[in-house]
Amino acid sequence: MTPYATISYFGFLLYPTLPAVALGLVGRLSRWFVLGVTLLMIGLQYGLLLPGDAAVNVGQCWQLLAYAAYEGALVKGFSLLRARDRAMPRWAPAVTVTLVLLPLAAAKLLPALHVSGLVGFLGISYLTFRSLDVIFGIQDRLIKQIRLRDFWLFLLFFPTIASGPVDRYRRFMKDWEQKRSRAEYLQDLDAAVHRIFRGLLYKFIIAYYIETYWLSAAGATHTALGGISYMYAYSFYLFFDFAGYSCFAVGVSYLFGVRTPENFDNPFLAQNIRDFWNRWHISLSWWFRDHVYMRFVMWATKRKLLANKYAISYLGFILSMGLMGIWHGLQWHYILYGLYHAALIIGFDYLSRWNKRHKRWGEGPVWRWAGVFITFQVVCFGLLLFSGRLFQ
Amino acid sequence: MSVQDRVLAVIARVAQNDEVLRNPDVHLYETGLIDSFGTVELMIALGEEFDFEFSPAEFDPEAWATPNKIAALVAERMG
């Protein structure tokens, strides 16, 4: 069954939640317990424990477990290789990253070759992000040693397995290394309940009403005005649906002892496009910032790939935003979505540097709200591209 | 020069702004003195100054928010 989508899912969720809360209150919430719950919930979510649920394919469950074993072997092997005194072979990092990406690449490419259902399960791309985070941490010697139990707990942690947020291994482990008092757990419990109720409001009330009374009507029209209405309806629907899901994922994480990072921070109030990416799908955009953009810029700058530092930066934006687009799927509208945002960020960077010299764009509330207004329009247009409606 | 002074000098050079020397608690990202690209430049420059390597994977906007916080990170690394 799909996580957080039905009342019965929440009903099942109560069974592990009650003992988790009891253990949390006496400070005994352990990694083994949460790993056990995670495996049970995976069995449930992917249909192994409850066959007959039409929404899932039991094969996905076995694929997921095989995937976890495969990535575990890669991570463990890479960390052993890194821990040796001798320098690592030059090819090792690139080969490891390629192997980590292989299942995701197969899941995305095989359907394009008309081989479907062979590889791929709900959440594979999010798990790939987490695996790569660990690999980069080992490569940079930030993760000195890793236990498979910890890696699998991080990789499979059931509240966030389906669609994020994308946590980071070192942040995740900090939650387990420090003991939590009863007072702290009570605070987490409070935060969890708060988020779960916000999730209910966003996903099951606001998103539901937008979909039923606005989005579907706007989607049925074929006029220009209908298209504009659809653009806003889709933008609001996507936000409330995904932010609602994220509230559930973060809230349930807190119940099980993990302070999963937030994914949204009033994105439609962003003052510019850079600000937007610090507020929209935050865990994903920061993952790309750290592991693609900054990594590429550091690599290119050290090797003096290009003389012009802005050229390096812009190439980094095209690379990270382009990959972000492709990651959603290999369809043209996703690729275009990524490149559109790369163009927006580059354009904004160029204009704001130009403005430092010419001082045309001022400061103060009127300018700020003008920024919010413009950003909202270009962001909604981006989501219209993302929806694929323009390409039907 | 102390570690603190050397870190401030590097940040001022990368940001091309002396504000950090006067106010080592200024917020580098909120004021726009440093962006993601500047952070990488800073990581490289600090690495050259102190002879170690910072990695983009350890970037945390909170821990890198002000010159004083960065100086603390460097001191910890040299620890």
PDB file of all heavy atoms in Angstrom, chain A residues 140 142 170 274 289-291 293-295 297-298 301-302 309 312-313, chain B residues 32 35-37 39-41 43-44 53-59 61 77:
ATOM      1  N   ASP A 140      35.607  11.341   0.687  1.00  0.00           N
ATOM      2  CA  ASP A 140      36.211  12.537   1.287  1.00  0.00           C
ATOM      3  C   ASP A 140      36.673  12.291   2.725  1.00  0.00           C
ATOM      4  O   ASP A 140      36.977  13.246   3.437  1.00  0.00           O
ATOM      5  CB  ASP A 140      35.212  13.706   1.238  1.00  0.00           C
ATOM      6  CG  ASP A 140      34.890  14.093  -0.191  1.00  0.00           C
ATOM      7  OD1 ASP A 140      35.630  13.679  -1.095  1.00  0.00           O
ATOM      8  OD2 ASP A 140      33.898  14.823  -0.397  1.00  0.00           O
ATOM      9  N   LEU A 142      35.055  11.648   5.320  1.00  0.00           N
ATOM     10  CA  LEU A 142      34.177  12.188   6.365  1.00  0.00           C
ATOM     11  C   LEU A 142      33.516  11.032   7.113  1.00  0.00           C
ATOM     12  O   LEU A 142      33.136  11.153   8.263  1.00  0.00           O
ATOM     13  CB  LEU A 142      33.095  13.083   5.757  1.00  0.00           C
ATOM     14  CG  LEU A 142      33.639  14.276   4.976  1.00  0.00           C
ATOM     15  CD1 LEU A 142      32.521  14.975   4.228  1.00  0.00           C
ATOM     16  CD2 LEU A 142      34.318  15.246   5.926  1.00  0.00           C
ATOM     17  N   ARG A 170      25.599  11.468   7.773  1.00  0.00           N
ATOM     18  CA  ARG A 170      26.242  11.944   8.998  1.00  0.00           C
ATOM     19  C   ARG A 170      25.252  12.664   9.908  1.00  0.00           C
ATOM     20  O   ARG A 170      25.323  12.581  11.118  1.00  0.00           O
ATOM     21  CB  ARG A 170      27.432  12.840   8.656  1.00  0.00           C
ATOM     22  CG  ARG A 170      28.543  12.026   7.966  1.00  0.00           C
ATOM     23  CD  ARG A 170      29.811  12.809   7.858  1.00  0.00           C
ATOM     24  NE  ARG A 170      29.584  14.109   7.267  1.00  0.00           N
ATOM     25  CZ  ARG A 170      30.203  15.214   7.643  1.00  0.00           C
ATOM     26  NH1 ARG A 170      31.075  15.198   8.604  1.00  0.00           N
ATOM     27  NH2 ARG A 170      29.939  16.355   7.032  1.00  0.00           N
ATOM     28  N   ARG A 274      16.919  31.883  -6.621  1.00  0.00           N
ATOM     29  CA  ARG A 274      17.877  31.243  -5.727  1.00  0.00           C
ATOM     30  C   ARG A 274      17.201  30.928  -4.389  1.00  0.00           C
ATOM     31  O   ARG A 274      17.340  29.838  -3.836  1.00  0.00           O
ATOM     32  CB  ARG A 274      18.999  32.229  -5.478  1.00  0.00           C
ATOM     33  CG  ARG A 274      20.354  31.644  -5.427  1.00  0.00           C
ATOM     34  CD  ARG A 274      21.300  32.822  -5.318  1.00  0.00           C
ATOM     35  NE  ARG A 274      22.234  32.797  -6.410  1.00  0.00           N
ATOM     36  CZ  ARG A 274      23.383  32.125  -6.338  1.00  0.00           C
ATOM     37  NH1 ARG A 274      23.696  31.437  -5.279  1.00  0.00           N
ATOM     38  NH2 ARG A 274      24.214  32.140  -7.339  1.00  0.00           N
ATOM     39  N   ARG A 289      23.172  20.770  -4.751  1.00  0.00           N
ATOM     40  CA  ARG A 289      24.115  21.857  -4.490  1.00  0.00           C
ATOM     41  C   ARG A 289      25.456  21.289  -3.996  1.00  0.00           C
ATOM     42  O   ARG A 289      26.511  21.624  -4.516  1.00  0.00           O
ATOM     43  CB  ARG A 289      23.527  22.812  -3.437  1.00  0.00           C
ATOM     44  CG  ARG A 289      24.474  23.956  -3.064  1.00  0.00           C
ATOM     45  CD  ARG A 289      24.031  24.641  -1.778  1.00  0.00           C
ATOM     46  NE  ARG A 289      24.155  23.738  -0.647  1.00  0.00           N
ATOM     47  CZ  ARG A 289      23.567  23.930   0.540  1.00  0.00           C
ATOM     48  NH1 ARG A 289      22.774  24.973   0.722  1.00  0.00           N
ATOM     49  NH2 ARG A 289      23.743  23.081   1.521  1.00  0.00           N
ATOM     50  N   ASP A 290      25.394  20.412  -2.994  1.00  0.00           N
ATOM     51  CA  ASP A 290      26.628  19.920  -2.376  1.00  0.00           C
ATOM     52  C   ASP A 290      27.325  18.869  -3.230  1.00  0.00           C
ATOM     53  O   ASP A 290      28.534  18.916  -3.409  1.00  0.00           O
ATOM     54  CB  ASP A 290      26.324  19.310  -0.996  1.00  0.00           C
ATOM     55  CG  ASP A 290      25.731  20.329  -0.058  1.00  0.00           C
ATOM     56  OD1 ASP A 290      25.744  21.525  -0.411  1.00  0.00           O
ATOM     57  OD2 ASP A 290      25.235  19.943   1.014  1.00  0.00           O
ATOM     58  N   HIS A 291      26.541  17.916  -3.734  1.00  0.00           N
ATOM     59  CA  HIS A 291      27.167  16.759  -4.369  1.00  0.00           C
ATOM     60  C   HIS A 291      27.359  16.895  -5.868  1.00  0.00           C
ATOM     61  O   HIS A 291      28.091  16.114  -6.466  1.00  0.00           O
ATOM     62  CB  HIS A 291      26.357  15.486  -4.081  1.00  0.00           C
ATOM     63  CG  HIS A 291      26.460  15.061  -2.640  1.00  0.00           C
ATOM     64  ND1 HIS A 291      27.592  15.233  -1.891  1.00  0.00           N
ATOM     65  CD2 HIS A 291      25.557  14.490  -1.805  1.00  0.00           C
ATOM     66  CE1 HIS A 291      27.392  14.779  -0.660  1.00  0.00           C
ATOM     67  NE2 HIS A 291      26.164  14.329  -0.590  1.00  0.00           N
ATOM     68  N   TYR A 293      26.780  20.466  -7.862  1.00  0.00           N
ATOM     69  CA  TYR A 293      27.283  21.801  -8.187  1.00  0.00           C
ATOM     70  C   TYR A 293      28.645  22.075  -7.539  1.00  0.00           C
ATOM     71  O   TYR A 293      29.643  22.344  -8.214  1.00  0.00           O
ATOM     72  CB  TYR A 293      26.265  22.869  -7.779  1.00  0.00           C
ATOM     73  CG  TYR A 293      26.788  24.272  -7.960  1.00  0.00           C
ATOM     74  CD1 TYR A 293      26.776  24.882  -9.204  1.00  0.00           C
ATOM     75  CD2 TYR A 293      27.337  24.971  -6.889  1.00  0.00           C
ATOM     76  CE1 TYR A 293      27.286  26.149  -9.385  1.00  0.00           C
ATOM     77  CE2 TYR A 293      27.853  26.242  -7.053  1.00  0.00           C
ATOM     78  CZ  TYR A 293      27.823  26.826  -8.301  1.00  0.00           C
ATOM     79  OH  TYR A 293      28.339  28.083  -8.471  1.00  0.00           O
ATOM     80  N   MET A 294      28.703  21.998  -6.187  1.00  0.00           N
ATOM     81  CA  MET A 294      29.939  22.362  -5.499  1.00  0.00           C
ATOM     82  C   MET A 294      31.074  21.393  -5.819  1.00  0.00           C
ATOM     83  O   MET A 294      32.229  21.786  -5.942  1.00  0.00           O
ATOM     84  CB  MET A 294      29.705  22.457  -3.983  1.00  0.00           C
ATOM     85  CG  MET A 294      28.915  23.708  -3.638  1.00  0.00           C
ATOM     86  SD  MET A 294      28.434  23.833  -1.892  1.00  0.00           S
ATOM     87  CE  MET A 294      29.991  24.077  -1.106  1.00  0.00           C
ATOM     88  N   ARG A 295      30.739  20.120  -5.965  1.00  0.00           N
ATOM     89  CA  ARG A 295      31.749  19.127  -6.312  1.00  0.00           C
ATOM     90  C   ARG A 295      32.345  19.415  -7.688  1.00  0.00           C
ATOM     91  O   ARG A 295      33.552  19.357  -7.883  1.00  0.00           O
ATOM     92  CB  ARG A 295      31.099  17.734  -6.321  1.00  0.00           C
ATOM     93  CG  ARG A 295      31.863  16.744  -5.513  1.00  0.00           C
ATOM     94  CD  ARG A 295      31.202  15.411  -5.415  1.00  0.00           C
ATOM     95  NE  ARG A 295      32.209  14.476  -4.980  1.00  0.00           N
ATOM     96  CZ  ARG A 295      32.666  14.428  -3.727  1.00  0.00           C
ATOM     97  NH1 ARG A 295      32.189  15.213  -2.809  1.00  0.00           N
ATOM     98  NH2 ARG A 295      33.612  13.589  -3.410  1.00  0.00           N
ATOM     99  N   VAL A 297      32.284  22.355  -9.273  1.00  0.00           N
ATOM    100  CA  VAL A 297      33.009  23.632  -9.252  1.00  0.00           C
ATOM    101  C   VAL A 297      34.397  23.441  -8.644  1.00  0.00           C
ATOM    102  O   VAL A 297      35.390  23.969  -9.143  1.00  0.00           O
ATOM    103  CB  VAL A 297      32.200  24.694  -8.476  1.00  0.00           C
ATOM    104  CG1 VAL A 297      33.072  25.887  -8.132  1.00  0.00           C
ATOM    105  CG2 VAL A 297      30.999  25.144  -9.290  1.00  0.00           C
ATOM    106  N   MET A 298      34.478  22.656  -7.575  1.00  0.00           N
ATOM    107  CA  MET A 298      35.775  22.442  -6.938  1.00  0.00           C
ATOM    108  C   MET A 298      36.724  21.696  -7.885  1.00  0.00           C
ATOM    109  O   MET A 298      37.872  22.083  -8.060  1.00  0.00           O
ATOM    110  CB  MET A 298      35.608  21.665  -5.635  1.00  0.00           C
ATOM    111  CG  MET A 298      36.935  21.422  -4.940  1.00  0.00           C
ATOM    112  SD  MET A 298      36.748  20.919  -3.234  1.00  0.00           S
ATOM    113  CE  MET A 298      36.803  22.483  -2.388  1.00  0.00           C
ATOM    114  N   THR A 301      37.650  24.101 -10.801  1.00  0.00           N
ATOM    115  CA  THR A 301      38.497  25.219 -10.395  1.00  0.00           C
ATOM    116  C   THR A 301      39.920  24.743 -10.125  1.00  0.00           C
ATOM    117  O   THR A 301      40.893  25.372 -10.534  1.00  0.00           O
ATOM    118  CB  THR A 301      37.929  25.898  -9.136  1.00  0.00           C
ATOM    119  OG1 THR A 301      36.561  26.227  -9.379  1.00  0.00           O
ATOM    120  CG2 THR A 301      38.697  27.153  -8.797  1.00  0.00           C
ATOM    121  N   LYS A 302      40.033  23.606  -9.428  1.00  0.00           N
ATOM    122  CA  LYS A 302      41.367  23.097  -9.109  1.00  0.00           C
ATOM    123  C   LYS A 302      42.143  22.746 -10.369  1.00  0.00           C
ATOM    124  O   LYS A 302      43.343  22.915 -10.429  1.00  0.00           O
ATOM    125  CB  LYS A 302      41.260  21.864  -8.211  1.00  0.00           C
ATOM    126  CG  LYS A 302      41.099  22.220  -6.736  1.00  0.00           C
ATOM    127  CD  LYS A 302      41.146  20.957  -5.905  1.00  0.00           C
ATOM    128  CE  LYS A 302      41.156  21.285  -4.428  1.00  0.00           C
ATOM    129  NZ  LYS A 302      40.980  20.068  -3.624  1.00  0.00           N
ATOM    130  N   LYS A 309      35.644  32.317 -13.983  1.00  0.00           N
ATOM    131  CA  LYS A 309      34.994  31.613 -12.879  1.00  0.00           C
ATOM    132  C   LYS A 309      33.477  31.595 -13.030  1.00  0.00           C
ATOM    133  O   LYS A 309      32.817  30.675 -12.569  1.00  0.00           O
ATOM    134  CB  LYS A 309      35.416  32.191 -11.540  1.00  0.00           C
ATOM    135  CG  LYS A 309      34.918  33.571 -11.224  1.00  0.00           C
ATOM    136  CD  LYS A 309      35.348  33.914  -9.803  1.00  0.00           C
ATOM    137  CE  LYS A 309      34.600  35.128  -9.299  1.00  0.00           C
ATOM    138  NZ  LYS A 309      34.870  35.395  -7.887  1.00  0.00           N
ATOM    139  N   ILE A 312      32.556  28.616 -15.130  1.00  0.00           N
ATOM    140  CA  ILE A 312      32.556  27.370 -14.353  1.00  0.00           C
ATOM    141  C   ILE A 312      31.265  27.251 -13.551  1.00  0.00           C
ATOM    142  O   ILE A 312      30.609  26.213 -13.539  1.00  0.00           O
ATOM    143  CB  ILE A 312      33.781  27.326 -13.404  1.00  0.00           C
ATOM    144  CG1 ILE A 312      35.063  27.193 -14.213  1.00  0.00           C
ATOM    145  CG2 ILE A 312      33.639  26.173 -12.414  1.00  0.00           C
ATOM    146  CD1 ILE A 312      36.313  27.113 -13.360  1.00  0.00           C
ATOM    147  N   SER A 313      30.918  28.354 -12.900  1.00  0.00           N
ATOM    148  CA  SER A 313      29.705  28.338 -12.077  1.00  0.00           C
ATOM    149  C   SER A 313      28.476  28.023 -12.923  1.00  0.00           C
ATOM    150  O   SER A 313      27.629  27.215 -12.547  1.00  0.00           O
ATOM    151  CB  SER A 313      29.559  29.696 -11.393  1.00  0.00           C
ATOM    152  OG  SER A 313      28.364  29.741 -10.669  1.00  0.00           O
TER     153      SER A 313
ATOM    154  N   GLY B  32      24.811  38.064   1.265  1.00  0.00           N
ATOM    155  CA  GLY B  32      25.250  37.873  -0.111  1.00  0.00           C
ATOM    156  C   GLY B  32      26.751  38.055  -0.297  1.00  0.00           C
ATOM    157  O   GLY B  32      27.229  38.164  -1.422  1.00  0.00           O
ATOM    158  N   ASP B  35      28.414  33.175  -1.887  1.00  0.00           N
ATOM    159  CA  ASP B  35      27.360  32.270  -2.377  1.00  0.00           C
ATOM    160  C   ASP B  35      27.965  30.867  -2.485  1.00  0.00           C
ATOM    161  O   ASP B  35      29.067  30.637  -1.984  1.00  0.00           O
ATOM    162  CB  ASP B  35      26.802  32.758  -3.724  1.00  0.00           C
ATOM    163  CG  ASP B  35      27.913  32.934  -4.750  1.00  0.00           C
ATOM    164  OD1 ASP B  35      29.032  32.461  -4.511  1.00  0.00           O
ATOM    165  OD2 ASP B  35      27.646  33.547  -5.801  1.00  0.00           O
ATOM    166  N   SER B  36      27.263  29.931  -3.126  1.00  0.00           N
ATOM    167  CA  SER B  36      27.783  28.551  -3.181  1.00  0.00           C
ATOM    168  C   SER B  36      29.132  28.510  -3.895  1.00  0.00           C
ATOM    169  O   SER B  36      30.029  27.777  -3.506  1.00  0.00           O
ATOM    170  CB  SER B  36      26.819  27.624  -3.909  1.00  0.00           C
ATOM    171  OG  SER B  36      25.510  27.958  -3.637  1.00  0.00           O
ATOM    172  N   PHE B  37      29.243  29.315  -4.959  1.00  0.00           N
ATOM    173  CA  PHE B  37      30.509  29.333  -5.682  1.00  0.00           C
ATOM    174  C   PHE B  37      31.620  29.876  -4.780  1.00  0.00           C
ATOM    175  O   PHE B  37      32.712  29.315  -4.710  1.00  0.00           O
ATOM    176  CB  PHE B  37      30.393  30.191  -6.950  1.00  0.00           C
ATOM    177  CG  PHE B  37      31.603  30.100  -7.828  1.00  0.00           C
ATOM    178  CD1 PHE B  37      31.718  29.083  -8.746  1.00  0.00           C
ATOM    179  CD2 PHE B  37      32.639  31.012  -7.701  1.00  0.00           C
ATOM    180  CE1 PHE B  37      32.846  28.975  -9.545  1.00  0.00           C
ATOM    181  CE2 PHE B  37      33.767  30.911  -8.489  1.00  0.00           C
ATOM    182  CZ  PHE B  37      33.869  29.889  -9.420  1.00  0.00           C
ATOM    183  N   THR B  39      31.748  29.730  -1.658  1.00  0.00           N
ATOM    184  CA  THR B  39      32.070  28.731  -0.638  1.00  0.00           C
ATOM    185  C   THR B  39      33.147  27.777  -1.134  1.00  0.00           C
ATOM    186  O   THR B  39      34.067  27.431  -0.409  1.00  0.00           O
ATOM    187  CB  THR B  39      30.814  27.928  -0.268  1.00  0.00           C
ATOM    188  OG1 THR B  39      29.790  28.842   0.072  1.00  0.00           O
ATOM    189  CG2 THR B  39      31.082  27.018   0.914  1.00  0.00           C
ATOM    190  N   VAL B  40      32.997  27.362  -2.399  1.00  0.00           N
ATOM    191  CA  VAL B  40      34.004  26.453  -2.955  1.00  0.00           C
ATOM    192  C   VAL B  40      35.357  27.164  -3.050  1.00  0.00           C
ATOM    193  O   VAL B  40      36.385  26.609  -2.673  1.00  0.00           O
ATOM    194  CB  VAL B  40      33.565  25.931  -4.337  1.00  0.00           C
ATOM    195  CG1 VAL B  40      34.628  25.025  -4.918  1.00  0.00           C
ATOM    196  CG2 VAL B  40      32.245  25.194  -4.222  1.00  0.00           C
ATOM    197  N   GLU B  41      35.328  28.423  -3.528  1.00  0.00           N
ATOM    198  CA  GLU B  41      36.578  29.191  -3.590  1.00  0.00           C
ATOM    199  C   GLU B  41      37.207  29.275  -2.198  1.00  0.00           C
ATOM    200  O   GLU B  41      38.416  29.146  -2.030  1.00  0.00           O
ATOM    201  CB  GLU B  41      36.295  30.603  -4.093  1.00  0.00           C
ATOM    202  CG  GLU B  41      35.961  30.707  -5.561  1.00  0.00           C
ATOM    203  CD  GLU B  41      35.836  32.165  -5.969  1.00  0.00           C
ATOM    204  OE1 GLU B  41      34.994  32.875  -5.394  1.00  0.00           O
ATOM    205  OE2 GLU B  41      36.595  32.607  -6.857  1.00  0.00           O
ATOM    206  N   MET B  43      36.743  27.191   0.311  1.00  0.00           N
ATOM    207  CA  MET B  43      37.266  25.883   0.711  1.00  0.00           C
ATOM    208  C   MET B  43      38.653  25.653   0.114  1.00  0.00           C
ATOM    209  O   MET B  43      39.565  25.176   0.791  1.00  0.00           O
ATOM    210  CB  MET B  43      36.334  24.766   0.237  1.00  0.00           C
ATOM    211  CG  MET B  43      35.079  24.641   1.077  1.00  0.00           C
ATOM    212  SD  MET B  43      33.989  23.392   0.393  1.00  0.00           S
ATOM    213  CE  MET B  43      32.883  23.153   1.792  1.00  0.00           C
ATOM    214  N   ILE B  44      38.793  26.023  -1.165  1.00  0.00           N
ATOM    215  CA  ILE B  44      40.078  25.816  -1.824  1.00  0.00           C
ATOM    216  C   ILE B  44      41.135  26.731  -1.197  1.00  0.00           C
ATOM    217  O   ILE B  44      42.241  26.296  -0.862  1.00  0.00           O
ATOM    218  CB  ILE B  44      39.949  26.084  -3.346  1.00  0.00           C
ATOM    219  CG1 ILE B  44      39.010  25.040  -3.980  1.00  0.00           C
ATOM    220  CG2 ILE B  44      41.314  26.044  -4.021  1.00  0.00           C
ATOM    221  CD1 ILE B  44      38.692  25.302  -5.436  1.00  0.00           C
ATOM    222  N   GLU B  53      42.380  19.595   3.223  1.00  0.00           N
ATOM    223  CA  GLU B  53      41.308  19.678   2.232  1.00  0.00           C
ATOM    224  C   GLU B  53      39.945  19.728   2.873  1.00  0.00           C
ATOM    225  O   GLU B  53      39.607  18.889   3.698  1.00  0.00           O
ATOM    226  CB  GLU B  53      41.382  18.480   1.272  1.00  0.00           C
ATOM    227  CG  GLU B  53      42.340  18.734   0.122  1.00  0.00           C
ATOM    228  CD  GLU B  53      42.250  17.661  -0.943  1.00  0.00           C
ATOM    229  OE1 GLU B  53      41.134  17.156  -1.186  1.00  0.00           O
ATOM    230  OE2 GLU B  53      43.301  17.333  -1.522  1.00  0.00           O
ATOM    231  N   PHE B  54      39.162  20.726   2.491  1.00  0.00           N
ATOM    232  CA  PHE B  54      37.740  20.732   2.830  1.00  0.00           C
ATOM    233  C   PHE B  54      36.993  20.067   1.684  1.00  0.00           C
ATOM    234  O   PHE B  54      37.419  20.170   0.533  1.00  0.00           O
ATOM    235  CB  PHE B  54      37.223  22.159   2.985  1.00  0.00           C
ATOM    236  CG  PHE B  54      37.350  22.701   4.370  1.00  0.00           C
ATOM    237  CD1 PHE B  54      38.086  23.839   4.614  1.00  0.00           C
ATOM    238  CD2 PHE B  54      36.718  22.068   5.435  1.00  0.00           C
ATOM    239  CE1 PHE B  54      38.202  24.353   5.900  1.00  0.00           C
ATOM    240  CE2 PHE B  54      36.827  22.568   6.714  1.00  0.00           C
ATOM    241  CZ  PHE B  54      37.565  23.720   6.953  1.00  0.00           C
ATOM    242  N   SER B  55      35.877  19.421   2.011  1.00  0.00           N
ATOM    243  CA  SER B  55      35.114  18.771   0.960  1.00  0.00           C
ATOM    244  C   SER B  55      33.721  19.390   0.876  1.00  0.00           C
ATOM    245  O   SER B  55      33.128  19.716   1.897  1.00  0.00           O
ATOM    246  CB  SER B  55      35.006  17.281   1.281  1.00  0.00           C
ATOM    247  OG  SER B  55      33.731  16.811   0.964  1.00  0.00           O
ATOM    248  N   PRO B  56      33.213  19.555  -0.347  1.00  0.00           N
ATOM    249  CA  PRO B  56      31.855  20.079  -0.494  1.00  0.00           C
ATOM    250  C   PRO B  56      30.835  19.229   0.274  1.00  0.00           C
ATOM    251  O   PRO B  56      29.791  19.728   0.677  1.00  0.00           O
ATOM    252  CB  PRO B  56      31.589  19.994  -1.991  1.00  0.00           C
ATOM    253  CG  PRO B  56      32.925  19.948  -2.621  1.00  0.00           C
ATOM    254  CD  PRO B  56      33.845  19.286  -1.649  1.00  0.00           C
ATOM    255  N   ALA B  57      31.164  17.943   0.481  1.00  0.00           N
ATOM    256  CA  ALA B  57      30.211  17.062   1.166  1.00  0.00           C
ATOM    257  C   ALA B  57      30.041  17.449   2.634  1.00  0.00           C
ATOM    258  O   ALA B  57      29.090  17.039   3.270  1.00  0.00           O
ATOM    259  CB  ALA B  57      30.664  15.612   1.057  1.00  0.00           C
ATOM    260  N   GLU B  58      30.974  18.241   3.179  1.00  0.00           N
ATOM    261  CA  GLU B  58      30.810  18.609   4.587  1.00  0.00           C
ATOM    262  C   GLU B  58      30.243  20.011   4.742  1.00  0.00           C
ATOM    263  O   GLU B  58      30.205  20.553   5.840  1.00  0.00           O
ATOM    264  CB  GLU B  58      32.138  18.464   5.345  1.00  0.00           C
ATOM    265  CG  GLU B  58      33.255  19.339   4.853  1.00  0.00           C
ATOM    266  CD  GLU B  58      34.594  18.963   5.501  1.00  0.00           C
ATOM    267  OE1 GLU B  58      34.669  18.988   6.726  1.00  0.00           O
ATOM    268  OE2 GLU B  58      35.543  18.639   4.767  1.00  0.00           O
ATOM    269  N   PHE B  59      29.806  20.613   3.640  1.00  0.00           N
ATOM    270  CA  PHE B  59      29.249  21.956   3.724  1.00  0.00           C
ATOM    271  C   PHE B  59      27.930  21.940   4.488  1.00  0.00           C
ATOM    272  O   PHE B  59      27.060  21.123   4.242  1.00  0.00           O
ATOM    273  CB  PHE B  59      29.022  22.527   2.328  1.00  0.00           C
ATOM    274  CG  PHE B  59      28.350  23.857   2.343  1.00  0.00           C
ATOM    275  CD1 PHE B  59      28.944  24.923   2.990  1.00  0.00           C
ATOM    276  CD2 PHE B  59      27.113  24.033   1.743  1.00  0.00           C
ATOM    277  CE1 PHE B  59      28.308  26.150   3.024  1.00  0.00           C
ATOM    278  CE2 PHE B  59      26.487  25.266   1.772  1.00  0.00           C
ATOM    279  CZ  PHE B  59      27.090  26.325   2.414  1.00  0.00           C
ATOM    280  N   PRO B  61      25.314  25.048   5.788  1.00  0.00           N
ATOM    281  CA  PRO B  61      25.126  26.500   5.793  1.00  0.00           C
ATOM    282  C   PRO B  61      25.133  27.091   7.212  1.00  0.00           C
ATOM    283  O   PRO B  61      25.558  28.220   7.399  1.00  0.00           O
ATOM    284  CB  PRO B  61      23.754  26.694   5.144  1.00  0.00           C
ATOM    285  CG  PRO B  61      23.452  25.443   4.437  1.00  0.00           C
ATOM    286  CD  PRO B  61      24.216  24.347   5.107  1.00  0.00           C
ATOM    287  N   ARG B  77      39.690  21.564  12.773  1.00  0.00           N
ATOM    288  CA  ARG B  77      40.345  20.701  11.818  1.00  0.00           C
ATOM    289  C   ARG B  77      41.843  20.582  12.125  1.00  0.00           C
ATOM    290  O   ARG B  77      42.453  19.533  11.971  1.00  0.00           O
ATOM    291  CB  ARG B  77      40.133  21.260  10.406  1.00  0.00           C
ATOM    292  CG  ARG B  77      40.831  20.507   9.299  1.00  0.00           C
ATOM    293  CD  ARG B  77      40.352  19.082   9.205  1.00  0.00           C
ATOM    294  NE  ARG B  77      38.977  18.991   8.786  1.00  0.00           N
ATOM    295  CZ  ARG B  77      38.599  18.795   7.532  1.00  0.00           C
ATOM    296  NH1 ARG B  77      39.491  18.679   6.585  1.00  0.00           N
ATOM    297  NH2 ARG B  77      37.329  18.712   7.232  1.00  0.00           N
TER     298      ARG B  77
END
